mmCIF file with all atom_site columns, all heavy atoms in Angstrom:
data_model
loop_
_atom_site.group_PDB
_atom_site.id
_atom_site.type_symbol
_atom_site.label_atom_id
_atom_site.label_alt_id
_atom_site.label_comp_id
_atom_site.label_asym_id
_atom_site.label_entity_id
_atom_site.label_seq_id
_atom_site.pdbx_PDB_ins_code
_atom_site.Cartn_x
_atom_site.Cartn_y
_atom_site.Cartn_z
_atom_site.occupancy
_atom_site.B_iso_or_equiv
_atom_site.pdbx_formal_charge
_atom_site.auth_seq_id
_atom_site.auth_comp_id
_atom_site.auth_asym_id
_atom_site.auth_atom_id
_atom_site.pdbx_PDB_model_num
ATOM 1   N N   . ASP A 1 114 ? 8.323   37.271 9.184   1.00 0.00 ? 727 ASP A N   1
ATOM 2   C CA  . ASP A 1 114 ? 8.358   35.843 9.496   1.00 0.00 ? 727 ASP A CA  1
ATOM 3   C C   . ASP A 1 114 ? 6.947   35.270 9.545   1.00 0.00 ? 727 ASP A C   1
ATOM 4   O O   . ASP A 1 114 ? 6.666   34.250 8.933   1.00 0.00 ? 727 ASP A O   1
ATOM 5   C CB  . ASP A 1 114 ? 9.070   35.607 10.834  1.00 0.00 ? 727 ASP A CB  1
ATOM 6   C CG  . ASP A 1 114 ? 10.555  35.911 10.740  1.00 0.00 ? 727 ASP A CG  1
ATOM 7   O OD1 . ASP A 1 114 ? 11.217  35.347 9.850   1.00 0.00 ? 727 ASP A OD1 1
ATOM 8   O OD2 . ASP A 1 114 ? 11.047  36.729 11.542  1.00 0.00 ? 727 ASP A OD2 1
ATOM 9   N N   . ILE A 1 115 ? 6.080   35.943 10.292  1.00 0.00 ? 728 ILE A N   1
ATOM 10  C CA  . ILE A 1 115 ? 4.683   35.500 10.422  1.00 0.00 ? 728 ILE A CA  1
ATOM 11  C C   . ILE A 1 115 ? 3.805   36.739 10.308  1.00 0.00 ? 728 ILE A C   1
ATOM 12  O O   . ILE A 1 115 ? 4.121   37.786 10.867  1.00 0.00 ? 728 ILE A O   1
ATOM 13  C CB  . ILE A 1 115 ? 4.453   34.799 11.778  1.00 0.00 ? 728 ILE A CB  1
ATOM 14  C CG1 . ILE A 1 115 ? 5.339   33.543 11.890  1.00 0.00 ? 728 ILE A CG1 1
ATOM 15  C CG2 . ILE A 1 115 ? 2.982   34.424 11.957  1.00 0.00 ? 728 ILE A CG2 1
ATOM 16  C CD1 . ILE A 1 115 ? 5.366   32.925 13.266  1.00 0.00 ? 728 ILE A CD1 1
ATOM 17  N N   . SER A 1 116 ? 2.721   36.617 9.579   1.00 0.00 ? 729 SER A N   1
ATOM 18  C CA  . SER A 1 116 ? 1.734   37.696 9.464   1.00 0.00 ? 729 SER A CA  1
ATOM 19  C C   . SER A 1 116 ? 0.415   37.212 10.039  1.00 0.00 ? 729 SER A C   1
ATOM 20  O O   . SER A 1 116 ? 0.194   36.003 10.173  1.00 0.00 ? 729 SER A O   1
ATOM 21  C CB  . SER A 1 116 ? 1.552   38.101 8.001   1.00 0.00 ? 729 SER A CB  1
ATOM 22  O OG  . SER A 1 116 ? 2.734   38.662 7.496   1.00 0.00 ? 729 SER A OG  1
ATOM 23  N N   . GLY A 1 117 ? -0.453  38.157 10.360  1.00 0.00 ? 730 GLY A N   1
ATOM 24  C CA  . GLY A 1 117 ? -1.738  37.761 10.919  1.00 0.00 ? 730 GLY A CA  1
ATOM 25  C C   . GLY A 1 117 ? -2.771  38.846 10.773  1.00 0.00 ? 730 GLY A C   1
ATOM 26  O O   . GLY A 1 117 ? -2.461  39.995 10.425  1.00 0.00 ? 730 GLY A O   1
ATOM 27  N N   . VAL A 1 118 ? -4.008  38.448 11.031  1.00 0.00 ? 731 VAL A N   1
ATOM 28  C CA  . VAL A 1 118 ? -5.125  39.378 10.991  1.00 0.00 ? 731 VAL A CA  1
ATOM 29  C C   . VAL A 1 118 ? -6.142  38.970 12.057  1.00 0.00 ? 731 VAL A C   1
ATOM 30  O O   . VAL A 1 118 ? -6.402  37.787 12.266  1.00 0.00 ? 731 VAL A O   1
ATOM 31  C CB  . VAL A 1 118 ? -5.775  39.442 9.583   1.00 0.00 ? 731 VAL A CB  1
ATOM 32  C CG1 . VAL A 1 118 ? -6.323  38.092 9.151   1.00 0.00 ? 731 VAL A CG1 1
ATOM 33  C CG2 . VAL A 1 118 ? -6.852  40.514 9.511   1.00 0.00 ? 731 VAL A CG2 1
ATOM 34  N N   . TYR A 1 119 ? -6.682  39.976 12.746  1.00 0.00 ? 732 TYR A N   1
ATOM 35  C CA  . TYR A 1 119 ? -7.761  39.792 13.718  1.00 0.00 ? 732 TYR A CA  1
ATOM 36  C C   . TYR A 1 119 ? -8.951  40.596 13.212  1.00 0.00 ? 732 TYR A C   1
ATOM 37  O O   . TYR A 1 119 ? -8.812  41.775 12.881  1.00 0.00 ? 732 TYR A O   1
ATOM 38  C CB  . TYR A 1 119 ? -7.330  40.287 15.108  1.00 0.00 ? 732 TYR A CB  1
ATOM 39  C CG  . TYR A 1 119 ? -8.479  40.578 16.038  1.00 0.00 ? 732 TYR A CG  1
ATOM 40  C CD1 . TYR A 1 119 ? -9.276  39.551 16.544  1.00 0.00 ? 732 TYR A CD1 1
ATOM 41  C CD2 . TYR A 1 119 ? -8.806  41.886 16.390  1.00 0.00 ? 732 TYR A CD2 1
ATOM 42  C CE1 . TYR A 1 119 ? -10.343 39.821 17.386  1.00 0.00 ? 732 TYR A CE1 1
ATOM 43  C CE2 . TYR A 1 119 ? -9.863  42.169 17.233  1.00 0.00 ? 732 TYR A CE2 1
ATOM 44  C CZ  . TYR A 1 119 ? -10.631 41.131 17.723  1.00 0.00 ? 732 TYR A CZ  1
ATOM 45  O OH  . TYR A 1 119 ? -11.700 41.400 18.542  1.00 0.00 ? 732 TYR A OH  1
ATOM 46  N N   . TYR A 1 120 ? -10.125 39.959 13.156  1.00 0.00 ? 733 TYR A N   1
ATOM 47  C CA  . TYR A 1 120 ? -11.330 40.626 12.647  1.00 0.00 ? 733 TYR A CA  1
ATOM 48  C C   . TYR A 1 120 ? -12.104 41.256 13.795  1.00 0.00 ? 733 TYR A C   1
ATOM 49  O O   . TYR A 1 120 ? -12.720 40.576 14.605  1.00 0.00 ? 733 TYR A O   1
ATOM 50  C CB  . TYR A 1 120 ? -12.204 39.634 11.873  1.00 0.00 ? 733 TYR A CB  1
ATOM 51  C CG  . TYR A 1 120 ? -11.508 39.141 10.642  1.00 0.00 ? 733 TYR A CG  1
ATOM 52  C CD1 . TYR A 1 120 ? -10.951 37.870 10.591  1.00 0.00 ? 733 TYR A CD1 1
ATOM 53  C CD2 . TYR A 1 120 ? -11.358 39.959 9.528   1.00 0.00 ? 733 TYR A CD2 1
ATOM 54  C CE1 . TYR A 1 120 ? -10.286 37.425 9.455   1.00 0.00 ? 733 TYR A CE1 1
ATOM 55  C CE2 . TYR A 1 120 ? -10.692 39.535 8.398   1.00 0.00 ? 733 TYR A CE2 1
ATOM 56  C CZ  . TYR A 1 120 ? -10.161 38.269 8.375   1.00 0.00 ? 733 TYR A CZ  1
ATOM 57  O OH  . TYR A 1 120 ? -9.489  37.845 7.268   1.00 0.00 ? 733 TYR A OH  1
ATOM 58  N N   . TYR A 1 121 ? -12.052 42.575 13.841  1.00 0.00 ? 734 TYR A N   1
ATOM 59  C CA  . TYR A 1 121 ? -12.702 43.359 14.897  1.00 0.00 ? 734 TYR A CA  1
ATOM 60  C C   . TYR A 1 121 ? -14.175 43.606 14.578  1.00 0.00 ? 734 TYR A C   1
ATOM 61  O O   . TYR A 1 121 ? -15.046 43.403 15.421  1.00 0.00 ? 734 TYR A O   1
ATOM 62  C CB  . TYR A 1 121 ? -11.939 44.678 15.069  1.00 0.00 ? 734 TYR A CB  1
ATOM 63  C CG  . TYR A 1 121 ? -12.709 45.789 15.727  1.00 0.00 ? 734 TYR A CG  1
ATOM 64  C CD1 . TYR A 1 121 ? -13.052 45.727 17.071  1.00 0.00 ? 734 TYR A CD1 1
ATOM 65  C CD2 . TYR A 1 121 ? -13.089 46.912 15.001  1.00 0.00 ? 734 TYR A CD2 1
ATOM 66  C CE1 . TYR A 1 121 ? -13.758 46.759 17.662  1.00 0.00 ? 734 TYR A CE1 1
ATOM 67  C CE2 . TYR A 1 121 ? -13.778 47.951 15.595  1.00 0.00 ? 734 TYR A CE2 1
ATOM 68  C CZ  . TYR A 1 121 ? -14.128 47.865 16.923  1.00 0.00 ? 734 TYR A CZ  1
ATOM 69  O OH  . TYR A 1 121 ? -14.834 48.883 17.505  1.00 0.00 ? 734 TYR A OH  1
ATOM 70  N N   . LYS A 1 122 ? -14.465 44.064 13.353  1.00 0.00 ? 735 LYS A N   1
ATOM 71  C CA  . LYS A 1 122 ? -15.842 44.406 12.978  1.00 0.00 ? 735 LYS A CA  1
ATOM 72  C C   . LYS A 1 122 ? -16.066 43.967 11.536  1.00 0.00 ? 735 LYS A C   1
ATOM 73  O O   . LYS A 1 122 ? -15.355 44.404 10.630  1.00 0.00 ? 735 LYS A O   1
ATOM 74  C CB  . LYS A 1 122 ? -16.061 45.914 13.105  1.00 0.00 ? 735 LYS A CB  1
ATOM 75  C CG  . LYS A 1 122 ? -17.464 46.369 12.763  1.00 0.00 ? 735 LYS A CG  1
ATOM 76  C CD  . LYS A 1 122 ? -17.591 47.877 12.906  1.00 0.00 ? 735 LYS A CD  1
ATOM 77  C CE  . LYS A 1 122 ? -18.980 48.336 12.505  1.00 0.00 ? 735 LYS A CE  1
ATOM 78  N NZ  . LYS A 1 122 ? -19.101 49.788 12.542  1.00 0.00 ? 735 LYS A NZ  1
ATOM 79  N N   . THR A 1 123 ? -17.059 43.132 11.324  1.00 0.00 ? 736 THR A N   1
ATOM 80  C CA  . THR A 1 123 ? -17.288 42.611 9.977   1.00 0.00 ? 736 THR A CA  1
ATOM 81  C C   . THR A 1 123 ? -18.629 41.896 9.891   1.00 0.00 ? 736 THR A C   1
ATOM 82  O O   . THR A 1 123 ? -19.310 41.717 10.890  1.00 0.00 ? 736 THR A O   1
ATOM 83  C CB  . THR A 1 123 ? -16.146 41.655 9.568   1.00 0.00 ? 736 THR A CB  1
ATOM 84  O OG1 . THR A 1 123 ? -16.302 41.293 8.212   1.00 0.00 ? 736 THR A OG1 1
ATOM 85  C CG2 . THR A 1 123 ? -16.112 40.421 10.439  1.00 0.00 ? 736 THR A CG2 1
ATOM 86  N N   . GLN A 1 124 ? -18.957 41.498 8.687   1.00 0.00 ? 737 GLN A N   1
ATOM 87  C CA  . GLN A 1 124 ? -20.053 40.569 8.446   1.00 0.00 ? 737 GLN A CA  1
ATOM 88  C C   . GLN A 1 124 ? -19.702 39.763 7.200   1.00 0.00 ? 737 GLN A C   1
ATOM 89  O O   . GLN A 1 124 ? -18.768 40.106 6.485   1.00 0.00 ? 737 GLN A O   1
ATOM 90  C CB  . GLN A 1 124 ? -21.398 41.270 8.330   1.00 0.00 ? 737 GLN A CB  1
ATOM 91  C CG  . GLN A 1 124 ? -21.499 42.338 7.275   1.00 0.00 ? 737 GLN A CG  1
ATOM 92  C CD  . GLN A 1 124 ? -22.854 43.012 7.342   1.00 0.00 ? 737 GLN A CD  1
ATOM 93  O OE1 . GLN A 1 124 ? -23.078 43.891 8.155   1.00 0.00 ? 737 GLN A OE1 1
ATOM 94  N NE2 . GLN A 1 124 ? -23.747 42.609 6.481   1.00 0.00 ? 737 GLN A NE2 1
ATOM 95  N N   . ASP A 1 125 ? -20.427 38.688 6.943   1.00 0.00 ? 738 ASP A N   1
ATOM 96  C CA  . ASP A 1 125 ? -20.047 37.720 5.918   1.00 0.00 ? 738 ASP A CA  1
ATOM 97  C C   . ASP A 1 125 ? -19.761 38.316 4.547   1.00 0.00 ? 738 ASP A C   1
ATOM 98  O O   . ASP A 1 125 ? -18.833 37.900 3.871   1.00 0.00 ? 738 ASP A O   1
ATOM 99  C CB  . ASP A 1 125 ? -21.114 36.632 5.782   1.00 0.00 ? 738 ASP A CB  1
ATOM 100 C CG  . ASP A 1 125 ? -21.083 35.666 6.965   1.00 0.00 ? 738 ASP A CG  1
ATOM 101 O OD1 . ASP A 1 125 ? -20.045 35.611 7.647   1.00 0.00 ? 738 ASP A OD1 1
ATOM 102 O OD2 . ASP A 1 125 ? -22.090 34.995 7.198   1.00 0.00 ? 738 ASP A OD2 1
ATOM 103 N N   . SER A 1 126 ? -20.528 39.272 4.106   1.00 0.00 ? 739 SER A N   1
ATOM 104 C CA  . SER A 1 126 ? -20.360 39.796 2.747   1.00 0.00 ? 739 SER A CA  1
ATOM 105 C C   . SER A 1 126 ? -19.399 40.983 2.689   1.00 0.00 ? 739 SER A C   1
ATOM 106 O O   . SER A 1 126 ? -19.361 41.703 1.699   1.00 0.00 ? 739 SER A O   1
ATOM 107 C CB  . SER A 1 126 ? -21.726 40.191 2.176   1.00 0.00 ? 739 SER A CB  1
ATOM 108 O OG  . SER A 1 126 ? -22.351 41.147 3.020   1.00 0.00 ? 739 SER A OG  1
ATOM 109 N N   . ALA A 1 127 ? -18.608 41.163 3.745   1.00 0.00 ? 740 ALA A N   1
ATOM 110 C CA  . ALA A 1 127 ? -17.715 42.319 3.825   1.00 0.00 ? 740 ALA A CA  1
ATOM 111 C C   . ALA A 1 127 ? -16.330 42.040 3.235   1.00 0.00 ? 740 ALA A C   1
ATOM 112 O O   . ALA A 1 127 ? -15.421 42.819 3.436   1.00 0.00 ? 740 ALA A O   1
ATOM 113 C CB  . ALA A 1 127 ? -17.584 42.780 5.274   1.00 0.00 ? 740 ALA A CB  1
ATOM 114 N N   . GLY A 1 128 ? -16.169 40.954 2.518   1.00 0.00 ? 741 GLY A N   1
ATOM 115 C CA  . GLY A 1 128 ? -14.898 40.647 1.863   1.00 0.00 ? 741 GLY A CA  1
ATOM 116 C C   . GLY A 1 128 ? -14.144 39.534 2.556   1.00 0.00 ? 741 GLY A C   1
ATOM 117 O O   . GLY A 1 128 ? -13.793 39.655 3.723   1.00 0.00 ? 741 GLY A O   1
ATOM 118 N N   . GLN A 1 129 ? -13.944 38.446 1.838   1.00 0.00 ? 742 GLN A N   1
ATOM 119 C CA  . GLN A 1 129 ? -13.196 37.312 2.375   1.00 0.00 ? 742 GLN A CA  1
ATOM 120 C C   . GLN A 1 129 ? -11.711 37.470 2.081   1.00 0.00 ? 742 GLN A C   1
ATOM 121 O O   . GLN A 1 129 ? -11.328 37.951 1.010   1.00 0.00 ? 742 GLN A O   1
ATOM 122 C CB  . GLN A 1 129 ? -13.663 36.013 1.726   1.00 0.00 ? 742 GLN A CB  1
ATOM 123 C CG  . GLN A 1 129 ? -15.075 35.612 2.052   1.00 0.00 ? 742 GLN A CG  1
ATOM 124 C CD  . GLN A 1 129 ? -15.413 34.275 1.410   1.00 0.00 ? 742 GLN A CD  1
ATOM 125 O OE1 . GLN A 1 129 ? -15.100 34.030 0.252   1.00 0.00 ? 742 GLN A OE1 1
ATOM 126 N NE2 . GLN A 1 129 ? -16.055 33.403 2.170   1.00 0.00 ? 742 GLN A NE2 1
ATOM 127 N N   . ILE A 1 130 ? -10.884 37.022 3.009   1.00 0.00 ? 743 ILE A N   1
ATOM 128 C CA  . ILE A 1 130 ? -9.464  36.920 2.712   1.00 0.00 ? 743 ILE A CA  1
ATOM 129 C C   . ILE A 1 130 ? -9.269  35.656 1.881   1.00 0.00 ? 743 ILE A C   1
ATOM 130 O O   . ILE A 1 130 ? -9.987  34.662 2.072   1.00 0.00 ? 743 ILE A O   1
ATOM 131 C CB  . ILE A 1 130 ? -8.607  36.890 4.004   1.00 0.00 ? 743 ILE A CB  1
ATOM 132 C CG1 . ILE A 1 130 ? -7.116  37.028 3.664   1.00 0.00 ? 743 ILE A CG1 1
ATOM 133 C CG2 . ILE A 1 130 ? -8.876  35.644 4.832   1.00 0.00 ? 743 ILE A CG2 1
ATOM 134 C CD1 . ILE A 1 130 ? -6.216  37.246 4.872   1.00 0.00 ? 743 ILE A CD1 1
ATOM 135 N N   . PHE A 1 131 ? -8.348  35.715 0.936   1.00 0.00 ? 744 PHE A N   1
ATOM 136 C CA  . PHE A 1 131 ? -8.027  34.509 0.169   1.00 0.00 ? 744 PHE A CA  1
ATOM 137 C C   . PHE A 1 131 ? -6.514  34.359 0.099   1.00 0.00 ? 744 PHE A C   1
ATOM 138 O O   . PHE A 1 131 ? -5.772  35.341 0.128   1.00 0.00 ? 744 PHE A O   1
ATOM 139 C CB  . PHE A 1 131 ? -8.638  34.541 -1.237  1.00 0.00 ? 744 PHE A CB  1
ATOM 140 C CG  . PHE A 1 131 ? -8.154  35.666 -2.112  1.00 0.00 ? 744 PHE A CG  1
ATOM 141 C CD1 . PHE A 1 131 ? -7.036  35.527 -2.926  1.00 0.00 ? 744 PHE A CD1 1
ATOM 142 C CD2 . PHE A 1 131 ? -8.842  36.874 -2.135  1.00 0.00 ? 744 PHE A CD2 1
ATOM 143 C CE1 . PHE A 1 131 ? -6.601  36.571 -3.727  1.00 0.00 ? 744 PHE A CE1 1
ATOM 144 C CE2 . PHE A 1 131 ? -8.418  37.929 -2.937  1.00 0.00 ? 744 PHE A CE2 1
ATOM 145 C CZ  . PHE A 1 131 ? -7.292  37.773 -3.738  1.00 0.00 ? 744 PHE A CZ  1
ATOM 146 N N   . PHE A 1 132 ? -6.084  33.120 0.079   1.00 0.00 ? 745 PHE A N   1
ATOM 147 C CA  . PHE A 1 132 ? -4.670  32.786 -0.007  1.00 0.00 ? 745 PHE A CA  1
ATOM 148 C C   . PHE A 1 132 ? -4.413  32.102 -1.337  1.00 0.00 ? 745 PHE A C   1
ATOM 149 O O   . PHE A 1 132 ? -5.158  31.210 -1.743  1.00 0.00 ? 745 PHE A O   1
ATOM 150 C CB  . PHE A 1 132 ? -4.263  31.866 1.145   1.00 0.00 ? 745 PHE A CB  1
ATOM 151 C CG  . PHE A 1 132 ? -4.409  32.501 2.494   1.00 0.00 ? 745 PHE A CG  1
ATOM 152 C CD1 . PHE A 1 132 ? -5.528  32.242 3.279   1.00 0.00 ? 745 PHE A CD1 1
ATOM 153 C CD2 . PHE A 1 132 ? -3.450  33.367 2.983   1.00 0.00 ? 745 PHE A CD2 1
ATOM 154 C CE1 . PHE A 1 132 ? -5.676  32.828 4.519   1.00 0.00 ? 745 PHE A CE1 1
ATOM 155 C CE2 . PHE A 1 132 ? -3.584  33.965 4.220   1.00 0.00 ? 745 PHE A CE2 1
ATOM 156 C CZ  . PHE A 1 132 ? -4.696  33.694 4.996   1.00 0.00 ? 745 PHE A CZ  1
ATOM 157 N N   . GLU A 1 133 ? -3.359  32.530 -2.001  1.00 0.00 ? 746 GLU A N   1
ATOM 158 C CA  . GLU A 1 133 ? -2.963  31.924 -3.265  1.00 0.00 ? 746 GLU A CA  1
ATOM 159 C C   . GLU A 1 133 ? -2.054  30.733 -2.979  1.00 0.00 ? 746 GLU A C   1
ATOM 160 O O   . GLU A 1 133 ? -1.264  30.765 -2.030  1.00 0.00 ? 746 GLU A O   1
ATOM 161 C CB  . GLU A 1 133 ? -2.216  32.945 -4.138  1.00 0.00 ? 746 GLU A CB  1
ATOM 162 C CG  . GLU A 1 133 ? -3.076  34.102 -4.592  1.00 0.00 ? 746 GLU A CG  1
ATOM 163 C CD  . GLU A 1 133 ? -4.173  33.683 -5.561  1.00 0.00 ? 746 GLU A CD  1
ATOM 164 O OE1 . GLU A 1 133 ? -3.952  32.752 -6.361  1.00 0.00 ? 746 GLU A OE1 1
ATOM 165 O OE2 . GLU A 1 133 ? -5.252  34.282 -5.508  1.00 0.00 ? 746 GLU A OE2 1
ATOM 166 N N   . PRO A 1 134 ? -2.130  29.683 -3.791  1.00 0.00 ? 747 PRO A N   1
ATOM 167 C CA  . PRO A 1 134 ? -1.240  28.540 -3.554  1.00 0.00 ? 747 PRO A CA  1
ATOM 168 C C   . PRO A 1 134 ? 0.217   28.947 -3.734  1.00 0.00 ? 747 PRO A C   1
ATOM 169 O O   . PRO A 1 134 ? 0.545   29.689 -4.662  1.00 0.00 ? 747 PRO A O   1
ATOM 170 C CB  . PRO A 1 134 ? -1.676  27.524 -4.614  1.00 0.00 ? 747 PRO A CB  1
ATOM 171 C CG  . PRO A 1 134 ? -2.436  28.300 -5.622  1.00 0.00 ? 747 PRO A CG  1
ATOM 172 C CD  . PRO A 1 134 ? -2.992  29.505 -4.951  1.00 0.00 ? 747 PRO A CD  1
ATOM 173 N N   . PRO A 1 135 ? 1.098   28.496 -2.832  1.00 0.00 ? 748 PRO A N   1
ATOM 174 C CA  . PRO A 1 135 ? 2.506   28.879 -2.948  1.00 0.00 ? 748 PRO A CA  1
ATOM 175 C C   . PRO A 1 135 ? 3.222   28.184 -4.111  1.00 0.00 ? 748 PRO A C   1
ATOM 176 O O   . PRO A 1 135 ? 4.319   28.582 -4.477  1.00 0.00 ? 748 PRO A O   1
ATOM 177 C CB  . PRO A 1 135 ? 3.106   28.468 -1.606  1.00 0.00 ? 748 PRO A CB  1
ATOM 178 C CG  . PRO A 1 135 ? 2.197   27.424 -1.093  1.00 0.00 ? 748 PRO A CG  1
ATOM 179 C CD  . PRO A 1 135 ? 0.828   27.740 -1.627  1.00 0.00 ? 748 PRO A CD  1
ATOM 180 N N   . ALA A 1 136 ? 2.598   27.173 -4.676  1.00 0.00 ? 749 ALA A N   1
ATOM 181 C CA  . ALA A 1 136 ? 3.174   26.486 -5.837  1.00 0.00 ? 749 ALA A CA  1
ATOM 182 C C   . ALA A 1 136 ? 2.178   26.597 -6.996  1.00 0.00 ? 749 ALA A C   1
ATOM 183 O O   . ALA A 1 136 ? 1.337   25.723 -7.200  1.00 0.00 ? 749 ALA A O   1
ATOM 184 C CB  . ALA A 1 136 ? 3.458   25.020 -5.518  1.00 0.00 ? 749 ALA A CB  1
ATOM 185 N N   . PRO A 1 137 ? 2.235   27.685 -7.759  1.00 0.00 ? 750 PRO A N   1
ATOM 186 C CA  . PRO A 1 137 ? 1.255   27.891 -8.828  1.00 0.00 ? 750 PRO A CA  1
ATOM 187 C C   . PRO A 1 137 ? 1.327   26.836 -9.926  1.00 0.00 ? 750 PRO A C   1
ATOM 188 O O   . PRO A 1 137 ? 0.406   26.709 -10.723 1.00 0.00 ? 750 PRO A O   1
ATOM 189 C CB  . PRO A 1 137 ? 1.601   29.279 -9.371  1.00 0.00 ? 750 PRO A CB  1
ATOM 190 C CG  . PRO A 1 137 ? 2.987   29.545 -8.929  1.00 0.00 ? 750 PRO A CG  1
ATOM 191 C CD  . PRO A 1 137 ? 3.201   28.762 -7.672  1.00 0.00 ? 750 PRO A CD  1
ATOM 192 N N   . GLN A 1 138 ? 2.369   26.038 -9.933  1.00 0.00 ? 751 GLN A N   1
ATOM 193 C CA  . GLN A 1 138 ? 2.499   24.991 -10.944 1.00 0.00 ? 751 GLN A CA  1
ATOM 194 C C   . GLN A 1 138 ? 1.396   23.934 -10.837 1.00 0.00 ? 751 GLN A C   1
ATOM 195 O O   . GLN A 1 138 ? 1.126   23.220 -11.794 1.00 0.00 ? 751 GLN A O   1
ATOM 196 C CB  . GLN A 1 138 ? 3.874   24.302 -10.838 1.00 0.00 ? 751 GLN A CB  1
ATOM 197 C CG  . GLN A 1 138 ? 5.038   25.215 -11.130 1.00 0.00 ? 751 GLN A CG  1
ATOM 198 C CD  . GLN A 1 138 ? 5.438   26.088 -9.937  1.00 0.00 ? 751 GLN A CD  1
ATOM 199 O OE1 . GLN A 1 138 ? 4.824   26.091 -8.884  1.00 0.00 ? 751 GLN A OE1 1
ATOM 200 N NE2 . GLN A 1 138 ? 6.491   26.881 -10.128 1.00 0.00 ? 751 GLN A NE2 1
ATOM 201 N N   . PHE A 1 139 ? 0.733   23.828 -9.687  1.00 0.00 ? 752 PHE A N   1
ATOM 202 C CA  . PHE A 1 139 ? -0.365  22.880 -9.549  1.00 0.00 ? 752 PHE A CA  1
ATOM 203 C C   . PHE A 1 139 ? -1.402  23.056 -10.657 1.00 0.00 ? 752 PHE A C   1
ATOM 204 O O   . PHE A 1 139 ? -1.958  22.092 -11.158 1.00 0.00 ? 752 PHE A O   1
ATOM 205 C CB  . PHE A 1 139 ? -1.074  23.055 -8.196  1.00 0.00 ? 752 PHE A CB  1
ATOM 206 C CG  . PHE A 1 139 ? -0.399  22.358 -7.057  1.00 0.00 ? 752 PHE A CG  1
ATOM 207 C CD1 . PHE A 1 139 ? -0.064  23.062 -5.911  1.00 0.00 ? 752 PHE A CD1 1
ATOM 208 C CD2 . PHE A 1 139 ? -0.118  21.007 -7.102  1.00 0.00 ? 752 PHE A CD2 1
ATOM 209 C CE1 . PHE A 1 139 ? 0.549   22.435 -4.833  1.00 0.00 ? 752 PHE A CE1 1
ATOM 210 C CE2 . PHE A 1 139 ? 0.493   20.358 -6.028  1.00 0.00 ? 752 PHE A CE2 1
ATOM 211 C CZ  . PHE A 1 139 ? 0.828   21.081 -4.903  1.00 0.00 ? 752 PHE A CZ  1
#
Side-chain angles (χ1 to χ4, degrees):
D727 291 306
I728 299 170
S729 295
V731 61
Y732 160 69
Y733 295 104
Y734 159 69
K735 181 180 178 184
T736 187
Q737 57 184 81
D738 287 340
S739 57
Q742 294 183 316
I743 190 170
F744 62 90
F745 297 99
E746 294 293 326
Q751 296 81 356
F752 277 126

